[in-house]
Amino acid sequence: MIVYKLVAIDIDGTLLNDAHEITTEVKQAIRKAKAMGVKVVLCTGRPLVGVAQYLSDLELREEGDYVITFNGALIQDTFTKEVISHLTLTKEDLEEIYQTSKDINLHMHFFDDKFIYTPNRHVGKYTIVEAYLTNSQLLIEDIENIPEDFLMSKAMFIDEGPTLEAGIAKLSDEFREKYNLVRSASFYLEVLNKQASKGNAVKLLAETLGIKQSEVIAIGDHENDTTMIEYAGLGVAMGNAIPAIKELANHVTTTNNESGVAKVFEDFILNNH
């Protein structure tokens, strides 16, 4: 029987129910697993500020706790604040991504490790949504005013699903090759450093901690969870996951509104130690 030592959990649509809450069952299961020595790692597209409250609620700010944010671009020790890995994009990348957004007629915004920025004077609806959901301060800033040494954690193209689809279809092969592009929702396309992915981040953290691939569980619901579900010894799809994730996963749990994450802990960790 495999003893799982690390569980990577997506946040939106996975850890959180549709009311953006962590159920009591999920909190209790995570606390029990952590007390048994299991590493519980939130692994999200959100910035660090957007997960701060959940780290506190789940008591994941203690010695030996870690978090993965920006879809794998940043791995950080939540206790010491030490950065394990930060895969960034440059001002030059930002200029190219902004020009591309204009060429394909999509709104965009981008992040450093503190703020969310948009160059769009007519701020996109989903930029407002992102700032609200992640508790990020939103700055409207012209690209030419961004300093040359700016390091960007990620950028996002954002618009209603059909509009976004039409824009994505116009992206050049060169652009697709240069960046890691992932859909994290029907209205978000994330643009990341080519090496930045949830799977690469979970792999690096597991190796850093001396944990085998077979001892890792990853739980998610959307396209941006693909790489970590592929990497994990046990890849788990939520009951509410998109069909492609369910097909890819080794196991499908119940939905985020039915405490599906707690069920994973019960089935594979709490009842097996």
Side-chain angles (χ1 to χ4, degrees):
M1 183 184 69
I2 296 169
V3 175
Y4 293 104
K5 296 181 180 176
L6 189 155
V7 185
I9 311 170
D10 170 55
I11 292 183
D12 296 288
T14 301
L15 179 76
L16 304 182
N17 62 17
D18 289 347
H20 301 289
E21 299 164 338
I22 306 174
T23 67
T24 303
E25 292 82 358
V26 170
K27 283 183 186 174
Q28 289 174 343
I30 287 175
R31 284 177 182 155
K32 283 179 188 171
K34 195 182 167 200
M36 294 162 62
V38 176
K39 294 284 184 190
V40 179
V41 181
L42 302 189
C43 191
T44 177
R46 290 174 177 236
L48 192 58
V49 68
V51 302
Q53 188 58 53
Y54 306 126
L55 292 172
S56 298
D57 290 349
L58 296 169
E59 298 170 14
L60 295 176
R61 292 182 175 278
E62 297 170 354
E63 195 167 352
D65 285 332
Y66 298 87
V67 67
I68 294 169
T69 54
F70 295 118
N71 275 319
L74 181 63
I75 310 172
Q76 200 161 6
D77 183 313
T78 61
F79 182 70
T80 65
K81 309 293 189 286
E82 178 196 356
V83 172
I84 309 303
S85 172
H86 194 188
L87 299 168
T88 54
L89 298 168
T90 64
K91 169 79 182 285
E92 190 179 339
D93 292 321
L94 174 58
E95 289 167 347
E96 179 180 3
I97 292 164
Y98 176 53
Q99 183 58 51
T100 300
S101 77
K102 292 199 293 184
D103 294 344
I104 63 177
N105 201 28
L106 293 176
H107 287 90
M108 66 91 71
H109 58 241
F110 57 98
F111 295 83
D112 60 11
D113 57 353
K114 296 184 180 67
F115 303 111
I116 177 173
Y117 305 80
T118 182
N120 305 135
R121 295 287 155 190
H122 297 287
V123 180
K125 175 170 84 171
Y126 292 110
T127 294
I128 304 292
V129 170
E130 180 76 1
Y132 173 74
L133 277 181
T134 63
N135 197 31
S136 299
Q137 186 177 343
L138 173 60
L139 305 178
I140 300 173
E141 193 66 82
D142 291 331
I143 299 297
E144 53 265 32
N145 294 336
I146 300 292
E148 290 303 317
D149 61 353
F150 184 76
L151 292 177
M152 180 169 62
S153 296
K154 71 172 181 179
M156 297 169 73
F157 295 137
I158 41 132
D159 263 307
E160 297 294 349
T163 308
L164 186 61
E165 293 280 354
I168 291 170
K170 296 175 189 169
L171 288 172
S172 69
D173 290 343
E174 184 186 14
F175 189 89
R176 293 170 190 270
E177 188 57 39
K178 186 171 181 179
Y179 302 105
N180 183 22
L181 307 179
V182 288
R183 286 289 282 278
S184 53
S186 61
F187 39 81
Y188 288 151
L189 180 75
E190 315 219 356
V191 185
L192 297 144
N193 178 299
K194 188 69 176 174
Q195 301 307 314
S197 70
K198 288 188 177 186
N200 283 347
V202 173
K203 179 176 187 286
L204 177 59
L205 181 58
E207 288 171 352
T208 302
L209 297 172
I211 294 171
K212 296 174 187 167
Q213 183 175 358
S214 61
E215 298 169 335
V216 175
I217 297 176
I219 315 170
D221 73 308
H222 218 282
E223 185 184 308
N224 61 324
D225 300 314
T226 300
T227 54
M228 72 172 182
I229 286 173
E230 282 176 334
Y231 166 75
L234 180 69
V236 180
M238 297 299 291
N240 52 287
I242 61 171
I245 292 295
K246 287 183 176 177
E247 200 172 308
L248 180 68
N250 307 108
H251 177 77
V252 179
T253 186
T254 53
T255 70
N256 60 325
N257 292 323
E258 299 168 303
S259 301
V261 166
K263 187 101 173 53
V264 176
F265 278 94
E266 287 158 14
D267 290 346
F268 296 100
I269 294 174
L270 302 180
N271 297 334
N272 287 345
H273 272 62

